[in-house]
Amino acid sequence: MGLIVQKFGGTSVANAERLRNVAEIIAETYRQGNQVVAVLSAQGDTTDDLIEKAQEINPKASRLEMDMLLSTGEQISCSLCAMAVEALGLPVVSLTGWQAGVQTNSSYSSARIKKIDVERIQSEIDRNHSIVIVTGFQGINKYGDITTLGRGGSDTSAVALAAALKADLCQIYTDVDGIYTADPRHVKGARKLEEITFDEMLELASLGAQVLHNRSVELAKKYQVNLEVLSSFERKPGTKVKEVAKNMEKTQISGVATDKNVARLALVGVEDRPGIAYKVFSLLGQKNINVDIIVQSIGRQGTQDISFTVRRSDVDHAVALLQEHKESLPFDHIDVDQSVVKVSIVGAGMVDNAGVAAKMFGALYDADINIHMISTSEIKVSVLLDESDAKLAVQAIHDKFFGE
């Protein structure tokens, strides 16, 4: 007998049939002698529909009121799921985030969890032997206002609850049956991983893999939550995310990821003197503009070029900011390229295997694909390419590592 937290995403609860299926999964886990806490997202496109309704009324609605509105989506799916569990003859209660004790800061629409008071949940489990269904994506701040956690919020809610409850397992149910070496919808020969490390999963999540949100992986790593990703549509084992994982068939990498939300900026003709790079990147950092790959050219005739990548959504802000400070950052002009993509390989085995980067570059050479920028770490190699080459690049790299 154990305590299991199960999270179900929007596609898993999209309609009555799927809600009943989720109720059956929860009931089956409960009947096996486990205590169960389920965390649900809003149904299907409910959140998008609510945003559209808000736009009709007030396109400039406050984030506080948007949180009040968007939190209703999870309440609907949780109450309906509780009804489906009730129909199976099992004890169940549904709770909102604030009823479940999820306390957050006051960053409306992107709140962070500060602590979880699990007294109410534990009481329902211990006293009433109930299955507890909790709204994901939301909590309450010190002012008593409902807050939402932003993108990937339900994953974060589930892992945070699992940590607070000291659960034996946190299962993330999605529309895929685990974590793959690449997106199986676009890459031939993609393989499901039996296990992957927290660090590898965190890199993949940060680099464009959309199975788990990176905030939830960070929490799971910090609190050592046993995590499993599996399908709500197929009853078969998923992928375990853990501190140490066995290498799949002794491969050096665990996956290939693509990030299209990237743009390259180049400060051309920057004055070649100490402190310029510090000024550029501290300025961007102060405005929360995240910079990834950086390349600085060799100085020539008193100038050099500094190229770096940012999210596409940050391009206009970054360019305006740099132009505003052009006098203190002497440069000739800014070159912007938004037709690029970042392709990365991730694997804890890289650090002990020489030649992994060369193997990746060889795959791109064989496919006649040009590399613009390169970034490496102990468990990651990323390259910046033309967006038009992305699909071919991922397939070529995957074939090189997994097709032999």
Side-chain angles (χ1 to χ4, degrees):
M1 182 173 177
L3 172 56
I4 298 178
V5 174
Q6 298 178 319
K7 179 263 176 179
F8 298 91
T11 54
S12 298
V13 296
N15 53 42
E17 180 185 354
R18 291 185 178 182
L19 272 168
R20 291 192 187 97
N21 176 58
V22 165
E24 289 284 359
I25 294 171
I26 293 170
E28 182 181 327
T29 307
Y30 181 82
R31 287 171 181 146
Q32 289 170 353
N34 299 296
Q35 299 169 332
V36 183
V37 175
V39 177
L40 270 60
S41 298
Q43 291 182 282
D45 297 324
T46 299
T47 301
D48 290 338
D49 293 341
L50 290 171
I51 291 172
E52 192 174 319
K53 288 179 185 296
Q55 290 287 320
E56 291 174 1
I57 302 298
N58 179 5
K60 297 181 180 179
S62 69
R63 290 186 174 186
L64 186 152
E65 291 303 334
M66 287 301 296
D67 280 3
M68 179 71 166
L69 175 67
L70 297 182
S71 67
T72 63
E74 281 72 24
Q75 291 179 46
I76 292 169
S77 59
C78 283
S79 57
L80 290 174
C81 188
M83 294 174 193
V85 173
E86 272 183 339
L88 297 173
L90 298 177
V92 63
V93 61
S94 64
L95 303 176
T96 63
W98 67 266
Q99 288 176 309
V102 180
Q103 300 171 32
T104 74
N105 64 16
S106 298
S107 298
Y108 300 103
S109 81
S110 59
R112 296 275 172 166
I113 296 173
K114 294 174 71 175
K115 62 177 287 192
I116 300 179
D117 181 354
V118 297
E119 184 178 349
R120 172 71 188 277
I121 296 176
Q122 203 66 62
S123 173
E124 295 290 351
I125 292 172
D126 295 340
R127 189 178 68 241
N128 302 323
H129 305 291
S130 291
I131 293 166
V132 182
I133 301 178
V134 180
T135 55
F137 180 63
Q138 63 184 253
I140 192 168
N141 66 16
K142 63 182 180 181
Y143 304 111
D145 297 331
I146 293 173
T147 57
T148 64
L149 307 182
R151 182 170 168 261
S154 291
D155 284 354
T156 303
S157 299
V159 174
L161 280 165
L165 289 162
K166 295 181 172 57
D168 297 283
L169 178 64
C170 180
Q171 296 178 311
I172 307 292
Y173 283 89
T174 71
D175 54 357
V176 296
D177 62 347
I179 298 159
Y180 280 73
T181 51
D183 189 334
R185 296 168 297 182
H186 304 298
V187 177
K188 294 178 182 176
R191 309 179 194 176
K192 189 173 82 172
L193 299 168
E194 182 182 333
E195 297 179 347
I196 189 170
T197 67
F198 287 126
D199 287 338
E200 289 171 323
M201 188 66 244
L202 188 55
E203 287 286 3
L204 287 172
S206 302
L207 294 167
Q210 298 176 345
V211 180
L212 280 176
H213 194 265
N214 55 350
R215 278 172 67 187
S216 66
V217 183
E218 286 172 352
L219 270 178
K221 176 179 170 62
K222 181 177 180 179
Y223 293 102
Q224 293 298 294
V225 174
N226 291 318
L227 206 56
E228 183 181 16
V229 178
L230 62 174
S231 171
S232 57
F233 306 122
E234 299 179 70
R235 305 295 177 89
K236 59 183 183 181
T239 301
K240 291 181 173 63
V241 187
K242 53 204 295 190
E243 187 64 37
V244 179
K246 54 191 176 188
N247 284 344
M248 191 188 77
E249 297 177 3
K250 297 183 179 178
T251 54
Q252 299 137 351
I253 72 167
S254 293
V256 187
T258 307
D259 185 2
K260 294 183 178 180
N261 184 21
V262 62
R264 180 188 60 80
L265 270 60
L267 285 177
V268 180
V270 180
E271 194 170 297
D272 188 10
R273 59 181 169 83
I276 292 294
Y278 163 72
K279 288 183 179 180
V280 169
F281 297 115
S282 62
L283 184 66
L284 294 170
Q286 287 166 15
K287 299 300 181 180
N288 295 316
I289 297 173
N290 189 44
V291 175
D292 186 17
I293 306 175
I294 302 171
V295 173
Q296 182 170 307
S297 69
I298 296 173
R300 61 185 188 282
Q301 298 179 339
T303 68
Q304 60 186 355
D305 301 338
I306 302 176
S307 299
F308 55 93
T309 60
V310 299
R311 290 186 293 265
R312 289 185 186 179
S313 54
D314 286 335
V315 167
D316 292 342
H317 188 192
V319 170
L321 189 65
L322 293 168
Q323 291 285 12
E324 183 184 335
H325 292 79
K326 189 172 182 180
E327 284 189 16
S328 61
L329 302 170
F331 60 87
D332 184 68
H333 66 277
I334 302 175
D335 183 61
V336 179
D337 186 355
Q338 299 193 58
S339 60
V340 292
V341 66
K342 182 169 65 177
V343 175
S344 307
I345 57 173
V346 173
M350 284 187 199
V351 69
D352 297 317
N353 288 275
V356 175
K359 193 172 182 179
M360 178 189 192
F361 302 152
L364 295 171
Y365 169 75
D366 291 341
D368 196 27
I369 295 172
N370 189 41
I371 299 171
H372 299 311
M373 299 171 77
I374 300 168
S375 173
T376 65
S377 74
E378 283 190 345
I379 67 167
K380 167 189 85 170
V381 180
S382 296
V383 293
L384 199 70
L385 314 167
D386 290 335
E387 189 171 16
S388 57
D389 289 329
K391 187 175 181 180
L392 177 59
V394 172
Q395 189 68 63
I397 293 167
H398 192 273
D399 288 347
K400 178 68 76 171
F401 283 95
F402 297 101
E404 296 176 353

